[in-house]
Amino acid sequence: MTLVVLVLLAGCVGPLQAGANTGDASGPIISVSATGSANADPDLAVVNVAVEATADGANAARAQVARDVERVRGALADGGVPDADVTTTAFGIAPVYNYSEGEREVVGYRAIHTLAIETAPDRAGEIVDLAVGNGATRVDGVRFTLSDERRAELRATALERAMDTARTDADGIASAADLSVTGVRQASTGAEFTPFPVARFEDAAGSGGTVIQPAPVTVTVTVDVTYTAA
């Protein structure tokens, strides 16, 4: 006899699928796939900025960018951002062309140096203003996320909730099949899913400063569990 059940659990991020097979030679088994989620406010923000400069020669463009990046780093250090939290993500120098009259002519060189700045979420807007006010010419976005320690804590909670959901559903299937769950034969977890929260940008009233309000971060994991039954 085979009983297959599909259950949608309110509050779960994804569908939960379950099936019971009582025809296995080693005894009945119940296989369950379930999801669990946990959320918290982000405890880390990554501000991505770029410093650009254009000059007649490649070295002149490089030198200008180097001076501006040094000024940005100095301002960040004065603002309490450790140098270790400011990292280069890209650097490049390329010619600038003029394509008028069907011909390509080099008219200068553009240099770009992009930085990733890690900071506390409540300082993200301040860091944007600090970088732009001291030489950054572009803001490539602000990403709110979790530190490794906080992510591990949320993942552990999400796994526990997924396993609780799996056992509850397995018990329900076993009862419907006149069986009882006796143990776990096999368990595995799938990929973790952590979407970036949507941030809200606004100007602080009267000050002109950038204010960024992040949404909570949710960590979702999936487990596949095979139970023994009798």
Side-chain angles (χ1 to χ4, degrees), residues 109-184:
Y109 289 84
R110 177 179 291 115
I112 181 170
H113 191 150
T114 61
L115 302 170
I117 307 161
E118 294 186 357
T119 188
D122 60 358
R123 294 199 67 195
E126 174 191 352
I127 296 303
V128 167
D129 294 341
L130 193 60
V132 172
N134 288 276
T137 57
R138 198 175 76 206
V139 178
D140 292 333
V142 178
R143 178 168 59 90
F144 292 94
T145 184
L146 300 169
S147 62
D148 291 342
E149 180 180 351
R150 188 64 177 128
R151 184 185 300 277
E153 292 173 356
L154 284 190
R155 189 172 190 276
T157 299
L159 277 171
E160 183 178 349
R161 291 175 178 174
M163 288 298 292
D164 287 346
T165 298
R167 179 55 189 261
T168 297
D169 199 66
D171 285 339
I173 294 174
S175 177
D178 294 326
L179 297 170
S180 296
V181 172
T182 58
V184 175

Side-chain angles (χ1 to χ4, degrees), residues 195-218:
F196 296 134
V198 177
R200 179 168 55 87
F201 294 78
E202 60 185 38
D203 288 333
S207 70
T210 302
V211 178
I212 307 173
Q213 299 291 346
V217 179
T218 300

